[in-house]
Amino acid sequence: MSNARTARLTRRGLLAAGGALGLGAVLTACGDDGAKDGGADTKGSAKTGPWSFKDDRGTTVKLDEAPRNIVAFTGVAAALYDYGIEVKGVFGPTTTKDGKADVQAGDMDVSKVTVLGNVWDQFNVEKYAALAPDVLISTMFDDAGTLWYVPEASKDKIAKLAPSVGISVFDRQLTGPLQRMWELAESLGADMTAVKVTEAKKRFEAASERLRKAAKAKPEIKVLVGSASPELFYVSGSNLSIDLEYFKALGVNFVEPTEAAKKATGGWFESLSWENVDKHKADVIMMDDRSSAIQPADITEATWKQLPAVKAGQIIARSTEPILSYDKCVAPVEALAEAIEKAKKVS
């Protein structure tokens, strides 16, 4: 992103703009531990009776029956879809410029949902109201209860139309939000005993064990996590992001940004000019797979092409905003495990 554009962006906007590996703007953390941990209150289901759910803000939403008209951030909708729960409307990256499903839409048929906004700061409140929403669901990248991709300018109008549920994806390991999405889907009436669901969880656990073994066998392999924009290359720290915290706990040896750089971005990432893209030495590079970031095949900078990991072909995609179903989280874990297993020491 350009320096001028960066200057105009809010702290939340930086997170979405691709720099964060998107996951990372300078988001402030406030709130108590109880809100961080949350907990499901599944007294009802889509079958009979009242419905309630305690989200990660510590807020309990109560309805006379399980919500039917659900509006959700695209990634949340994709996760619920994997559990058999379909939504009426979505907001967030849903379709690409050519009309195809964005990577964050997962397996959803995007032609069957109402898209309220496809990019940052876009949310059609009138369309939202027309859906007669029962509940709005999104993730949260801070401890202040900020709902991801709900515009600051219209959040109050949106809040008046339906209650909201927030699932935190801030400063915790991947397994936590995965469990919370499981609990939410179950409360909405999903069959969590279905073979597809239980088998996906088993595959995720097997993939995690494979990654643990790979990291233990080759601790010398350094993994750098990056995201590319026209002017800057972003190096993510392993703290705060749910996937990286989990991978680090499994033993992955991550390259870390400098402390000064992380301090300047609230702990999320370091910004490098393309001339300085070789500042950190790495054997494997994980690159942001979101449509907001330039993909490796499209990077033309000579300094990038000269990186040892790039020359060795040791580049893999990173699901920077993981779809929180076990099914969708298997592939990223397996890909990193395989990359480490096959990696040559080039740094």
Side-chain angles (χ1 to χ4, degrees), residues 26 67 102 118 161 164-165 195 231 235 273 283 302 311 319 326:
V26 192
D102 188 274
N118 199 57
L161 294 171
S164 62
V165 167
V195 173
E231 290 85 12
V235 178
S273 66
D283 304 296
K311 293 172 73 174
S319 296
Y326 285 102

PDB file of all heavy atoms in Angstrom, residues 26 67 102 118 161 164-165 195 231 235 273 283 302 311 319 326:
ATOM      1  N   VAL A  26      -2.718  -1.733  13.973  1.00  0.00           N
ATOM      2  CA  VAL A  26      -2.375  -1.331  15.315  1.00  0.00           C
ATOM      3  C   VAL A  26      -3.660  -1.325  16.126  1.00  0.00           C
ATOM      4  O   VAL A  26      -4.215  -0.303  16.409  1.00  0.00           O
ATOM      5  CB  VAL A  26      -1.791   0.070  15.295  1.00  0.00           C
ATOM      6  CG1 VAL A  26      -1.177   0.408  16.608  1.00  0.00           C
ATOM      7  CG2 VAL A  26      -0.783   0.164  14.190  1.00  0.00           C
ATOM      8  N   PRO A  67     -31.960 -18.347  15.509  1.00  0.00           N
ATOM      9  CA  PRO A  67     -32.057 -17.427  14.372  1.00  0.00           C
ATOM     10  C   PRO A  67     -32.126 -18.154  13.036  1.00  0.00           C
ATOM     11  O   PRO A  67     -31.398 -19.120  12.800  1.00  0.00           O
ATOM     12  CB  PRO A  67     -30.789 -16.580  14.482  1.00  0.00           C
ATOM     13  CG  PRO A  67     -29.861 -17.377  15.338  1.00  0.00           C
ATOM     14  CD  PRO A  67     -30.717 -18.153  16.271  1.00  0.00           C
ATOM     15  N   ASP A 102     -14.400 -15.653  -3.543  1.00  0.00           N
ATOM     16  CA  ASP A 102     -13.142 -15.296  -2.908  1.00  0.00           C
ATOM     17  C   ASP A 102     -12.668 -16.464  -2.058  1.00  0.00           C
ATOM     18  O   ASP A 102     -13.472 -17.296  -1.609  1.00  0.00           O
ATOM     19  CB  ASP A 102     -13.358 -14.056  -2.025  1.00  0.00           C
ATOM     20  CG  ASP A 102     -12.068 -13.490  -1.471  1.00  0.00           C
ATOM     21  OD1 ASP A 102     -11.616 -13.966  -0.403  1.00  0.00           O
ATOM     22  OD2 ASP A 102     -11.503 -12.580  -2.103  1.00  0.00           O
ATOM     23  N   ASN A 118     -18.367  -6.002  -0.171  1.00  0.00           N
ATOM     24  CA  ASN A 118     -17.335  -6.927  -0.617  1.00  0.00           C
ATOM     25  C   ASN A 118     -15.930  -6.465  -0.256  1.00  0.00           C
ATOM     26  O   ASN A 118     -14.981  -7.228  -0.355  1.00  0.00           O
ATOM     27  CB  ASN A 118     -17.434  -7.122  -2.133  1.00  0.00           C
ATOM     28  CG  ASN A 118     -16.740  -8.362  -2.624  1.00  0.00           C
ATOM     29  OD1 ASN A 118     -17.035  -9.472  -2.179  1.00  0.00           O
ATOM     30  ND2 ASN A 118     -15.788  -8.192  -3.538  1.00  0.00           N
ATOM     31  N   LEU A 161     -30.467  -2.877  14.378  1.00  0.00           N
ATOM     32  CA  LEU A 161     -31.325  -3.736  13.555  1.00  0.00           C
ATOM     33  C   LEU A 161     -31.371  -5.184  14.010  1.00  0.00           C
ATOM     34  O   LEU A 161     -32.329  -5.906  13.715  1.00  0.00           O
ATOM     35  CB  LEU A 161     -30.867  -3.670  12.097  1.00  0.00           C
ATOM     36  CG  LEU A 161     -31.045  -2.297  11.438  1.00  0.00           C
ATOM     37  CD1 LEU A 161     -30.366  -2.257  10.077  1.00  0.00           C
ATOM     38  CD2 LEU A 161     -32.534  -1.967  11.299  1.00  0.00           C
ATOM     39  N   SER A 164     -25.849  -8.909  17.949  1.00  0.00           N
ATOM     40  CA  SER A 164     -24.657  -9.435  17.289  1.00  0.00           C
ATOM     41  C   SER A 164     -23.921 -10.423  18.176  1.00  0.00           C
ATOM     42  O   SER A 164     -24.033 -10.396  19.405  1.00  0.00           O
ATOM     43  CB  SER A 164     -23.712  -8.288  16.913  1.00  0.00           C
ATOM     44  OG  SER A 164     -23.262  -7.601  18.066  1.00  0.00           O
ATOM     45  N   VAL A 165     -23.148 -11.283  17.517  1.00  0.00           N
ATOM     46  CA  VAL A 165     -22.294 -12.260  18.188  1.00  0.00           C
ATOM     47  C   VAL A 165     -20.880 -12.076  17.683  1.00  0.00           C
ATOM     48  O   VAL A 165     -20.658 -11.985  16.468  1.00  0.00           O
ATOM     49  CB  VAL A 165     -22.770 -13.705  17.908  1.00  0.00           C
ATOM     50  CG1 VAL A 165     -21.709 -14.723  18.343  1.00  0.00           C
ATOM     51  CG2 VAL A 165     -24.093 -13.979  18.615  1.00  0.00           C
ATOM     52  N   VAL A 195     -20.767 -37.613  10.225  1.00  0.00           N
ATOM     53  CA  VAL A 195     -19.479 -38.198   9.880  1.00  0.00           C
ATOM     54  C   VAL A 195     -18.537 -37.158   9.277  1.00  0.00           C
ATOM     55  O   VAL A 195     -17.347 -37.104   9.615  1.00  0.00           O
ATOM     56  CB  VAL A 195     -19.665 -39.375   8.898  1.00  0.00           C
ATOM     57  CG1 VAL A 195     -18.306 -39.886   8.408  1.00  0.00           C
ATOM     58  CG2 VAL A 195     -20.428 -40.508   9.573  1.00  0.00           C
ATOM     59  N   GLU A 231       4.094  -1.520  -2.780  1.00  0.00           N
ATOM     60  CA  GLU A 231       5.212  -0.752  -2.235  1.00  0.00           C
ATOM     61  C   GLU A 231       5.943  -1.432  -1.099  1.00  0.00           C
ATOM     62  O   GLU A 231       7.125  -1.168  -0.878  1.00  0.00           O
ATOM     63  CB  GLU A 231       4.723   0.622  -1.732  1.00  0.00           C
ATOM     64  CG  GLU A 231       4.298   1.578  -2.827  1.00  0.00           C
ATOM     65  CD  GLU A 231       2.847   1.347  -3.247  1.00  0.00           C
ATOM     66  OE1 GLU A 231       2.147   0.622  -2.525  1.00  0.00           O
ATOM     67  OE2 GLU A 231       2.434   1.868  -4.295  1.00  0.00           O
ATOM     68  N   VAL A 235       6.210  -8.507   7.175  1.00  0.00           N
ATOM     69  CA  VAL A 235       6.660  -9.712   7.875  1.00  0.00           C
ATOM     70  C   VAL A 235       5.872  -9.818   9.173  1.00  0.00           C
ATOM     71  O   VAL A 235       5.930  -8.929  10.028  1.00  0.00           O
ATOM     72  CB  VAL A 235       8.165  -9.653   8.184  1.00  0.00           C
ATOM     73  CG1 VAL A 235       8.591 -10.894   8.961  1.00  0.00           C
ATOM     74  CG2 VAL A 235       8.971  -9.535   6.897  1.00  0.00           C
ATOM     75  N   SER A 273      10.618  -2.181   2.821  1.00  0.00           N
ATOM     76  CA  SER A 273      10.634  -1.813   1.408  1.00  0.00           C
ATOM     77  C   SER A 273      11.118  -3.037   0.638  1.00  0.00           C
ATOM     78  O   SER A 273      11.776  -3.923   1.191  1.00  0.00           O
ATOM     79  CB  SER A 273      11.588  -0.639   1.173  1.00  0.00           C
ATOM     80  OG  SER A 273      12.934  -1.038   1.433  1.00  0.00           O
ATOM     81  N   ASP A 283      14.073 -20.182   5.475  1.00  0.00           N
ATOM     82  CA  ASP A 283      14.146 -21.384   4.641  1.00  0.00           C
ATOM     83  C   ASP A 283      12.817 -21.675   3.954  1.00  0.00           C
ATOM     84  O   ASP A 283      12.785 -22.236   2.864  1.00  0.00           O
ATOM     85  CB  ASP A 283      14.542 -22.587   5.511  1.00  0.00           C
ATOM     86  CG  ASP A 283      15.837 -22.350   6.248  1.00  0.00           C
ATOM     87  OD1 ASP A 283      16.876 -22.207   5.582  1.00  0.00           O
ATOM     88  OD2 ASP A 283      15.821 -22.285   7.493  1.00  0.00           O
ATOM     89  N   ALA A 302      13.058  -7.902  -8.235  1.00  0.00           N
ATOM     90  CA  ALA A 302      14.257  -8.736  -8.345  1.00  0.00           C
ATOM     91  C   ALA A 302      14.755  -9.198  -6.987  1.00  0.00           C
ATOM     92  O   ALA A 302      15.260 -10.323  -6.845  1.00  0.00           O
ATOM     93  CB  ALA A 302      15.359  -7.963  -9.067  1.00  0.00           C
ATOM     94  N   LYS A 311      14.194 -18.986  -4.548  1.00  0.00           N
ATOM     95  CA  LYS A 311      14.970 -19.713  -5.556  1.00  0.00           C
ATOM     96  C   LYS A 311      14.850 -21.222  -5.366  1.00  0.00           C
ATOM     97  O   LYS A 311      14.879 -21.991  -6.338  1.00  0.00           O
ATOM     98  CB  LYS A 311      16.432 -19.268  -5.496  1.00  0.00           C
ATOM     99  CG  LYS A 311      16.645 -17.815  -5.918  1.00  0.00           C
ATOM    100  CD  LYS A 311      18.054 -17.336  -5.659  1.00  0.00           C
ATOM    101  CE  LYS A 311      19.043 -17.951  -6.639  1.00  0.00           C
ATOM    102  NZ  LYS A 311      20.398 -17.361  -6.483  1.00  0.00           N
ATOM    103  N   SER A 319      -3.231 -19.240   5.015  1.00  0.00           N
ATOM    104  CA  SER A 319      -4.614 -18.793   5.219  1.00  0.00           C
ATOM    105  C   SER A 319      -4.578 -17.763   6.343  1.00  0.00           C
ATOM    106  O   SER A 319      -4.726 -18.090   7.519  1.00  0.00           O
ATOM    107  CB  SER A 319      -5.514 -19.975   5.595  1.00  0.00           C
ATOM    108  OG  SER A 319      -5.585 -20.904   4.541  1.00  0.00           O
ATOM    109  N   TYR A 326     -13.081 -27.205  11.130  1.00  0.00           N
ATOM    110  CA  TYR A 326     -11.959 -28.148  11.122  1.00  0.00           C
ATOM    111  C   TYR A 326     -11.612 -28.565   9.705  1.00  0.00           C
ATOM    112  O   TYR A 326     -10.440 -28.727   9.360  1.00  0.00           O
ATOM    113  CB  TYR A 326     -12.287 -29.367  11.990  1.00  0.00           C
ATOM    114  CG  TYR A 326     -12.194 -29.071  13.460  1.00  0.00           C
ATOM    115  CD1 TYR A 326     -13.348 -28.848  14.225  1.00  0.00           C
ATOM    116  CD2 TYR A 326     -10.960 -28.989  14.094  1.00  0.00           C
ATOM    117  CE1 TYR A 326     -13.265 -28.566  15.580  1.00  0.00           C
ATOM    118  CE2 TYR A 326     -10.865 -28.701  15.454  1.00  0.00           C
ATOM    119  CZ  TYR A 326     -12.012 -28.490  16.190  1.00  0.00           C
ATOM    120  OH  TYR A 326     -11.921 -28.190  17.529  1.00  0.00           O
TER     121      TYR A 326
END
